[in-house]
């Protein structure tokens, strides 16, 4: 939308064809961004911490994933795939941030 990003901002994201609603919980620019993602298979709290690193910015991401329903049963089996996918998504996020 046209509103500036702030705590309480809500947006929709799509991952693998599934729609998720995300709400920004902490927006402490330029240091920290925390948002809650709600979806059918799981809820996620994503925390990004930013810090200077020479002429660049280092980003640390933490994800608290809370699977729901049937996904709870298979989540342990999917952990290696999810880790690999998060690495790819982190690179995509990096490219997005650098282009903005």
């Amino acid at each position: 939308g046209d509103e500036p990003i702030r705590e309480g901002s809500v947006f929709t994201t799509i991952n693998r064809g599934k729609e998720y609603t995300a709400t920004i919980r902490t927006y402490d620019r330029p240091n920290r961004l925390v948002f809650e993602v709600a979806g059918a298979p799981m809820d996620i709290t994503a925390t990004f911490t930013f810090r200077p690193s020479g002429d660049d910015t280092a980003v640390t991401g933490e994800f608290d994933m809370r699977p729901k329903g049937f996904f709870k049963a298979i989540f342990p089996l999917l952990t290696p795939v999810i880790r690999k996918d998060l690495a790819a998504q982190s690179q995509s996020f990096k490219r997005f941030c650098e282009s903005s």
Side-chain angles (χ1 to χ4, degrees):
D2 295 331
E3 297 291 319
I5 294 173
R6 58 177 168 68
E7 287 181 22
S9 292
V10 177
F11 58 96
T12 301
T13 184
I14 297 173
N15 185 19
R16 290 194 165 76
K18 291 183 174 52
E19 192 171 286
Y20 296 84
T21 299
T23 304
I24 296 178
R25 295 292 175 218
T26 303
Y27 184 63
D28 177 22
R29 189 175 182 173
N31 304 310
R32 194 165 183 246
L33 173 65
V34 179
F35 53 93
E36 298 287 336
V37 180
M42 75 172 75
D43 292 336
I44 303 168
T45 301
T47 303
F48 294 98
T49 304
F50 307 89
R51 63 178 169 64
S53 178
D55 291 337
D56 297 319
T57 301
V59 179
T60 303
E62 296 179 25
F63 303 89
D64 176 21
M65 299 178 177
R66 299 174 302 282
K68 301 175 185 176
F70 174 73
F71 207 63
K72 273 185 182 179
I74 64 170
F75 188 76
L77 300 172
L78 296 175
T79 301
V81 174
I82 291 170
R83 278 196 184 104
K84 185 177 178 182
D85 189 53
L86 281 175
Q89 288 188 27
S90 294
Q91 287 302 313
S92 176
F93 181 64
K94 179 181 186 286
R95 285 190 302 274
F96 170 76
C97 290
E98 290 173 344
S99 69
S100 297

